Amino acid sequence: MALSRRTLLLSGAAVGAAGAVTVLPSAAVAGRPLRTDPFTLGVASGDPDHDGFVLWTRLAPTPLAEDGLGGMSNRPVPVRWELAADERFRRVVRRGTAVARPEAGHSVHVELGGLQPGREYFYRFHAERHTSPVGRTRTAPAPWASGGKLVMAFASCSQFEHGYFTAYRRLAEEDPDLVLHLGDYQYEYTKDSYNIPGGNPRDHEGPETVTLANYRQRHAQYKSDPDLQAAHQVAPWVVVFDDHEVDNNWADEAYEKPEIPQPDFLARRAAAFQAYYENMPLRRTSIPRGIDLQLYRRIRWGRLANFHMMDTRQYRDDQACGDGTKDCPAALDPARSITGAEQERWLIDGFRRSEARWDVLGQQVFFGQRDTDAGPAKFTSMDSWDGYVGSRDRITRGWVEARVRNTLVLTGDVHAHWATDLKLDYDDPTSRTVGSELVCSSITSGGDGADSVTGSHPYFPHNPHLRFHNNQRGYVLTRFTEREFQADFRVLPHVTTPGAPVHTRASFVVADRVPGLHQTYDRPVDPATTAARSGVDQAAETRAQETLRP
């Protein structure tokens, strides 16, 4: 009896014996043979185009080795790969050999083109006598293709120590066509330095990440998690980093805390970028060059959607007024930029050229205004777009003046679900809505979190454009069609113990050519599992989640 597709993928089972495998010739490379499974970090694919994508794996028989080499010797290893039209590899359409080299952490990036658009494919790798798990991926529709639908999930903020990655497992079970990861894929802290109330259920291995060996080891610890591996196996990912892939709240060449000098910060940044590329399914255009890594890019899904993937860390001005949440006049300086001038021009040019039904900004930090104080002063986060008001205004006006048909901003970072109407003037409640922002909660960061009554958050009265908030862990599942965009806020009741179920807490729809969010579903708080909290309690909890960093 044939395995079901979901059973095959989510079990992580390799299918080396399920179908005929042609062993490709490869020149033996002198050195110790691979005596144990080198595919402990799983497989992944990413950056789909209409005719191809990237296939990824990394060899690491001992993934948590302190030297970051994953138990590999200092020799290149030929890795054979196969791409098939079926999960049992009876119809292999491409095969070849790549070389896993020590200077690249024995990672493999196979960048394929010339495939059929809008098709599902399956892939696997072989190294000596070992075979990897099977991954599923797909190409995007043809550039001229209209209609159809896209199921896409997006996530962020997976702090290994704060809980189990059950949300990744549940995301995999949704069977998405595409996954966006919006940053904080891994965290830099050593154990016992970033703790949740009640203590962390798991610990990081190794010191705070500073060197290439440190970052390689940390990525390997995360990639060893079977729930994360499952999410990578079922669909292509499109990734961007935020701060914790390097250092909390870094900004271009500035590190977080000036009072704690980091004289080697640029070497740290270069090491973090190198490890990030080695561990992500990125194209060769993102190979780091010292302290630089080209990450902003555009993914086209036919004429249904453009995904403008952004980098709001590498080119930004330093946070104003010493960072934090405060009333800061410098945040209004129009010269300040969170994207840098070149990326801003690239984005606005993309708006002008777009023929898509939906234009989507995949980015890291809160875009819409979020004033935390009910009084006349404006207290906002200097690490978000509120700290770069000129940037936000130029980009918002950019899509309005380009007559973009529908604009959506997707965001991570703040460890809570939010839904927001975007405005040209947030201080004028009558200002027209020009787009929508959906913010995903964390996979684990902050621990279990808690539910609350919709509309009870104390920021809502003086931020009427804020539409929804929930402080449970989870991800957002979306569906794109020509007629509408739907977003389901998926939440888990707990992450500090494994195996939690998932449910939809709220759903919103954006209709074609009708800017703004329309709520279609709201699951009431279950008093048997969590009590509704007062506005004061909720505000305190939210601030704690957003500032719980050493």
Side-chain angles (χ1 to χ4, degrees):
M1 182 178 297
L3 292 171
S4 72
R5 179 177 300 162
R6 178 168 292 175
T7 300
L8 178 70
L9 290 169
L10 295 184
S11 68
V15 295
V21 177
T22 301
V23 178
L24 303 179
S26 61
V29 179
R32 187 172 66 252
L34 298 170
R35 300 188 183 279
T36 58
D37 179 18
F39 295 110
T40 59
L41 307 184
V43 299
S45 67
D47 277 18
D49 198 350
H50 68 279
D51 71 342
F53 34 67
V54 177
L55 306 180
W56 173 92
T57 194
R58 179 181 162 209
L59 307 183
T62 311
L64 300 187
E66 291 183 1
D67 61 6
L69 300 179
M72 295 293 294
S73 61
N74 190 30
R75 69 176 177 99
V77 177
V79 177
R80 292 169 286 121
W81 56 267
E82 296 177 289
L83 184 75
D86 68 299
E87 59 265 45
R88 289 189 174 275
F89 289 79
R90 293 190 176 108
R91 292 178 289 152
V92 174
V93 296
R94 293 281 186 90
R95 53 165 54 100
T97 300
V99 180
R101 301 185 183 278
E103 58 267 28
H106 286 97
S107 62
V108 172
H109 295 74
V110 178
E111 191 169 329
L112 295 177
L115 301 172
Q116 294 296 311
R119 297 290 182 89
E120 181 180 73
Y121 291 95
F122 298 84
Y123 62 96
R124 64 185 176 188
F125 299 89
H126 309 277
E128 297 179 4
R129 62 185 179 86
H130 304 282
T131 298
S132 76
V134 172
R136 180 183 63 181
T137 190
R138 65 174 56 247
T139 50
W144 57 85
S146 58
K149 69 175 182 178
L150 167 65
V151 177
M152 183 274 290
F154 67 97
S156 70
C157 301
S158 47
Q159 218 287 21
F160 183 91
E161 299 178 296
H162 287 185
Y164 294 89
F165 289 167
T166 310
Y168 280 137
R169 174 72 57 170
R170 301 294 172 250
L171 184 156
E173 292 167 352
E174 308 277 11
D175 207 23
D177 301 314
L178 184 68
V179 176
L180 305 189
H181 199 286
L182 302 180
D184 294 347
Y185 183 95
Q186 60 104 63
Y187 281 68
E188 74 275 30
Y189 303 115
T190 190
K191 70 176 184 178
D192 296 328
S193 64
Y194 182 11
N195 297 316
I196 58 174
N200 294 340
R202 306 196 286 185
D203 289 326
H204 280 150
E205 292 286 337
E208 177 160 338
T209 53
V210 175
T211 67
L212 180 57
N214 299 157
Y215 284 107
R216 283 172 169 171
Q217 180 191 36
R218 185 61 50 80
H219 275 283
Q221 183 172 21
Y222 280 59
K223 278 287 202 311
S224 297
D225 187 280
D227 295 330
L228 176 54
Q229 289 188 16
H232 274 296
Q233 281 179 246
V234 299
W237 281 40
V238 181
V239 301
V240 286
F241 54 52
D242 192 18
D243 53 341
H244 291 290
E245 284 86 355
V246 181
D247 179 39
N248 183 49
N249 281 21
W250 68 280
D252 193 8
E253 297 186 7
Y255 47 87
E256 179 191 11
K257 298 177 180 178
E259 69 276 15
I260 304 177
Q262 290 193 49
D264 298 323
F265 176 71
L266 295 185
R268 179 182 188 177
R269 171 174 149 169
F273 284 8
Q274 177 67 26
Y276 187 79
Y277 174 79
E278 290 174 356
N279 286 278
M280 294 295 165
L282 290 164
R283 293 181 179 267
R284 63 177 65 93
T285 51
S286 294
I287 294 174
R289 291 172 174 80
I291 65 167
D292 297 316
L293 186 157
Q294 177 63 47
L295 196 62
Y296 66 84
R297 62 209 188 278
R298 194 168 285 118
I299 305 294
R300 294 180 173 87
W301 203 266
R303 297 184 70 177
L304 184 63
N306 282 339
F307 293 93
H308 309 271
M309 305 304 296
M310 299 178 64
D311 178 349
T312 62
R313 285 289 163 194
Q314 194 175 172
Y315 313 106
R316 66 160 66 188
D317 292 308
D318 198 5
Q319 289 89 341
C321 296
D323 207 351
T325 297
K326 54 192 65 173
D327 184 9
C328 175
L332 305 178
D333 182 353
R336 289 177 48 75
S337 177
I338 195 172
T339 63
E342 183 177 336
Q343 184 179 188
E344 183 178 300
R345 286 192 296 270
W346 165 85
L347 182 60
I348 294 175
D349 182 64
F351 294 152
R352 292 170 179 158
R353 295 173 182 270
S354 177
E355 297 179 348
R357 186 64 56 103
W358 305 91
D359 276 87
V360 183
L361 280 64
Q363 59 94 46
Q364 295 81 359
V365 293
F366 216 99
F367 189 88
Q369 181 172 293
R370 194 172 49 147
D371 185 357
T372 65
D373 188 83
K378 187 180 293 182
F379 281 79
T380 58
S381 169
M382 295 301 100
D383 191 54
S384 73
W385 289 78
D386 277 328
Y388 304 83
V389 171
S391 267
R392 180 171 64 201
D393 182 68
R394 289 189 296 273
I395 287 170
T396 304
R397 293 184 184 279
W399 79 62
V400 171
E401 293 169 2
R403 299 180 182 271
V404 169
R405 183 164 179 152
N406 300 289
T407 305
L408 303 168
V409 178
L410 308 183
T411 302
D413 183 58
V414 295
H415 308 173
H417 285 316
W418 293 85
T420 308
D421 287 332
L422 299 177
K423 304 283 187 175
L424 282 171
D425 183 357
Y426 292 96
D427 296 328
D428 177 5
T430 67
S431 178
R432 69 186 177 104
T433 296
V434 296
S436 303
E437 180 176 18
L438 292 307
V439 182
C440 64
S441 185
S442 65
I443 292 292
T444 54
S445 300
D448 289 333
D451 202 355
S452 58
V453 174
T454 298
S456 64
H457 197 285
Y459 297 174
F460 279 30
H462 52 284
N463 293 271
H465 53 281
L466 299 179
R467 301 292 305 282
F468 175 74
H469 166 268
N470 181 269
N471 199 33
Q472 293 173 293
R473 309 286 77 85
Y475 52 91
V476 180
L477 184 68
T478 70
R479 295 170 183 83
F480 293 82
T481 69
E482 287 189 301
R483 296 181 60 185
E484 67 179 25
F485 163 83
Q486 178 177 327
D488 297 336
F489 288 96
R490 303 284 276 165
V491 299
L492 285 72
H494 57 83
V495 295
T496 51
T497 54
V502 67
H503 68 270
T504 297
R505 179 60 179 80
S507 295
F508 288 83
V509 165
V510 179
D512 179 37
R513 294 190 184 276
V514 184
L517 295 159
H518 174 64
Q519 187 164 2
T520 60
Y521 176 76
D522 179 25
R523 175 172 172 160
V525 174
D526 182 358
T529 58
T530 181
R533 300 186 175 192
S534 70
V536 173
D537 289 343
Q538 184 65 63
E541 178 180 298
T542 300
R543 292 192 191 99
Q545 292 294 337
E546 295 171 5
T547 61
L548 184 59
R549 298 160 179 161

